[in-house]
Amino acid sequence: MPEFYGTRISSRLMLGTAQYPSPQVLSTAFRRSGAGVATVSLRREAARGDGDGFWQVIRELGVPVLPNTAGCHSVKEAVTTAHMARELFDTDWIKLEVIGHSDSLQPDPFGLVEAARILSDDGFKVFPYTTEDGIVAGKLLDAGCRVLMPWGAPIGTGLGLNNPYGLRALRAQFPDIPMVIDAGIGLPSHAAQAMELGFDAVLLNTAVAKAGDPAAMAEGFAHALDAGRLAYEADPMPPRDMAQPSTPILGLAVLK
């Protein structure tokens, strides 16, 4: 299993905790998924006003918590939110989001790198939500990040991996950096594809929370991650343009 900032997690699935119909549904789905990390949003819980009850549910899951700075559009906003999350959730892990565009929710790479540097200097262990751009990834590593979280597709779309070529290139460029595909995952097959490309984990939320049966979908994702990782470790055959028989022609009967 992968290790992030010295902590080995029990599953390659990181599961969000927003948008579930009820805390009970959240808890059931989470346990059936076997997810190794719970992501939480400080902003959402503050807005709901039931933070104590929610925090109790999260504690009972018994997994590491990864707070995020969801909805932050500036460096100042993200840094302030990260500090509040560290105090509330008692962890120095932070999933850093600095959103640059309201419609696409695409990261602002300039603000992201600046905020990552500030938070790394403040002792945070930063998980930056970024694109598959290798130059931005290098800047984030220079800023102190030791994990990268490239998107699969825009947040909440469920489109899957929009740019497999770019993600494959990023994986190859930084083979020793733990990487988590974050955002855009809609189906278990998308998660399996991420594993087949060699990524270390997948973070998702809406695909489970908004499913008709969140618990069943969560379990489906768990199986898909296992299948995809096994395929990656099995060293798949390269694709070919030309057909090639799988049965040797030696010994084939000659009919005249």
Side-chain angles (χ1 to χ4, degrees):
M1 286 299 167
E3 189 173 295
F4 301 104
Y5 291 106
T7 298
R8 190 170 298 281
I9 63 173
S10 60
S11 165
R12 296 182 184 277
L13 178 58
M14 299 180 173
L15 195 56
T17 55
Q19 307 183 73
Y20 289 86
S22 71
Q24 181 60 46
V25 173
L26 159 64
S27 180
T28 302
F30 204 98
R31 295 181 191 285
R32 280 186 62 177
S33 76
V37 170
T39 65
V40 296
S41 169
L42 174 66
R43 282 170 170 261
R44 187 182 67 86
E45 296 318 314
R48 283 159 51 105
D50 60 350
D52 290 343
F54 171 79
W55 187 216
Q56 181 62 32
V57 170
I58 300 303
R59 280 197 188 98
E60 291 173 355
L61 296 175
V63 298
V65 172
L66 177 59
N68 63 52
T69 63
C72 292
H73 288 254
S74 71
V75 173
K76 182 179 179 181
E77 204 174 8
V79 169
T80 300
T81 302
H83 279 277
M84 294 172 65
R86 180 162 66 178
E87 185 174 335
L88 178 62
F89 296 110
D90 193 26
T91 177
D92 53 9
W93 282 15
I94 189 72
K95 179 194 163 191
L96 179 61
E97 294 184 21
V98 180
I99 301 302
H101 192 276
S102 297
D103 293 335
S104 68
L105 300 181
Q106 182 170 348
D108 167 7
F110 308 102
L112 183 67
V113 171
E114 182 181 350
R117 180 172 291 108
I118 292 170
L119 291 172
S120 295
D121 290 345
D122 284 345
F124 282 90
K125 296 178 172 63
V126 180
F127 295 67
Y129 162 65
T130 183
T131 67
E132 67 275 14
D133 188 308
I135 304 303
V136 175
K139 298 293 184 185
L140 288 167
L141 297 176
D142 292 342
C145 299
R146 294 296 172 263
V147 175
L148 296 172
M149 301 186 81
W151 65 352
I155 293 172
T157 61
L159 292 172
L161 307 186
N162 270 356
N163 185 3
Y165 165 78
L167 291 169
R168 187 182 296 110
L170 184 68
R171 178 70 284 181
Q173 186 175 351
F174 302 103
D176 299 325
I177 298 299
M179 289 191 198
V180 183
I181 293 293
D182 176 23
I185 299 293
L187 290 168
S189 57
H190 302 155
Q193 185 184 15
M195 291 294 99
E196 290 165 1
L197 290 175
F199 286 88
D200 298 283
V202 165
L203 190 157
L204 58 93
N205 188 159
T206 308
V208 169
K210 291 300 184 183
D213 185 341
M217 185 61 80
E219 186 175 344
F221 270 105
H223 291 306
L225 284 161
D226 287 343
R229 184 65 189 184
L230 279 172
Y232 171 73
E233 293 175 348
D235 190 15
M237 62 167 281
R240 291 189 292 248
D241 291 330
M242 300 297 292
Q244 180 173 318
S246 55
T247 301
I249 59 173
L250 184 65
L252 185 67
V254 178
L255 304 176
K256 294 183 178 179

